[in-house]
Amino acid sequence: MNRARVIGHATSIVKHHSLVGQKMLVVQPVTTAGKPEGAPSIVYDKLGAGVGDLVLITSDGSYTGNEIIGTRATPARWGVVGIIDAQKHE
């Protein structure tokens, strides 16, 4: 799992049939200190994350397929597994 900040929404006119009606977000992976790290990615979300939210994302295709999309027969890879509502600093 990785931390990421939601930076936008994505839409697609042409997509795999399993992805019709799925919410797509653009996220920027971040370090534990909240600094951008790496390239932005498209993730699928059913938890209701919005722009500016800090989220946990996974590249586990089985989780994304089974839990978010509802079928393993999907090309979706990245998905939101949690929304971080507070962060404790040591």
Side-chain angles (χ1 to χ4, degrees):
M1 280 189 268
N2 299 338
R3 290 174 183 233
R5 176 90 46 204
V6 178
I7 59 174
H9 298 276
T11 58
S12 174
I13 296 171
V14 178
K15 60 186 101 181
H16 188 269
H17 65 86
S18 68
L19 302 176
V20 172
Q22 298 297 326
K23 180 179 174 187
M24 295 187 295
L25 300 173
V26 181
V27 300
Q28 172 64 59
V30 294
T31 65
T32 55
K35 297 185 191 260
E37 177 178 58
S41 297
I42 300 288
V43 300
Y44 293 89
D45 171 48
K46 75 171 190 178
L47 300 179
V51 174
D53 284 345
L54 189 60
V55 295
L56 286 176
I57 59 174
T58 182
S59 64
D60 180 351
S62 343
Y63 176 86
T64 301
N66 291 334
E67 301 298 323
I68 297 174
I69 306 301
T71 178
R72 291 190 80 163
T74 183
R77 179 174 176 191
W78 287 94
V80 175
V81 296
I83 300 172
I84 300 171
D85 61 354
Q87 188 170 333
K88 184 178 179 181
H89 293 284
E90 308 263 336

